[in-house]
Amino acid sequence: LTDGAVEMRKDRPMLIVSTTSWTADEDFSLLLKALAHYDSSTSKPGDIGEDDSTGPLPRLAVLITGRGPLRAYYESEIDKMKLCRVQIATAWLSAEDYPLVLGSADLGVSLHTSSSGLDLPMKVVDMLGCGTPVCAYEFAW
């Protein structure tokens, strides 16, 4: 708090969480491209590996959780990325840790697309239930 106003610490990255079953109905290449664009837009040449917490936009810590058939593919794509201000990790969370991590996130991301257009992914309900704002594909109510 500064003068009664809440401020984000400049040395703290924003935590973004995305939960997935790593299937074709969630196109993680979209998220990876967006993260690469964010990183290139907020980094200076030669920044790779440096801890520059003075930029106007925060560093990002991105956690992608879940199990599924495309996990190894996307992990190999993540390993190829050369990022400075964005760190990406994958993990499987226990049932006890899952709501704690979601509740700690600054933003939740759902890349689920519905073939019927009628289902609201439980991951979105989980995030909202933990008080985490969600960025998702358009969902017709």
Side-chain angles (χ1 to χ4, degrees):
L1 288 175
T2 305
D3 299 326
V6 176
E7 292 181 11
M8 191 166 109
R9 288 178 34 185
K10 291 191 184 284
D11 62 338
R12 178 192 175 277
M14 287 190 74
L15 175 59
I16 297 174
V17 175
S18 186
T19 62
T20 181
S21 55
W22 295 105
T23 58
D25 65 352
E26 295 174 299
D27 183 4
F28 270 86
S29 65
L30 177 66
L31 179 60
L32 298 183
K33 287 176 190 172
L35 293 171
H37 180 74
Y38 180 91
D39 189 76
S40 66
S41 298
T42 60
S43 300
K44 301 178 296 256
D47 276 350
I48 292 179
E50 293 181 18
D51 182 14
D52 175 16
S53 56
T54 61
L57 296 173
R59 289 175 296 118
L60 302 180
V62 181
L63 177 61
I64 305 171
T65 70
R67 293 185 192 163
L70 294 176
R71 180 175 175 171
Y73 168 76
Y74 281 112
E75 285 177 331
S76 70
E77 293 299 303
I78 291 166
D79 288 343
K80 295 174 193 173
M81 298 175 77
K82 304 286 188 236
L83 304 172
C84 175
R85 297 181 52 85
V86 176
Q87 292 181 314
I88 306 170
T90 61
W92 171 254
L93 299 175
S94 69
E96 296 81 23
D97 290 338
Y98 181 69
L100 297 174
V101 170
L102 291 184
S104 299
D106 296 295
L107 179 67
V109 174
S110 173
L111 297 173
H112 179 81
T113 55
S114 168
S115 57
S116 68
L118 300 174
D119 60 326
L120 177 63
M122 283 307 301
K123 65 189 88 188
V124 172
V125 175
D126 293 341
M127 292 174 191
L128 293 174
C130 291
T132 303
V134 179
C135 179
Y137 277 101
E138 182 177 356
F139 181 80
W141 294 90

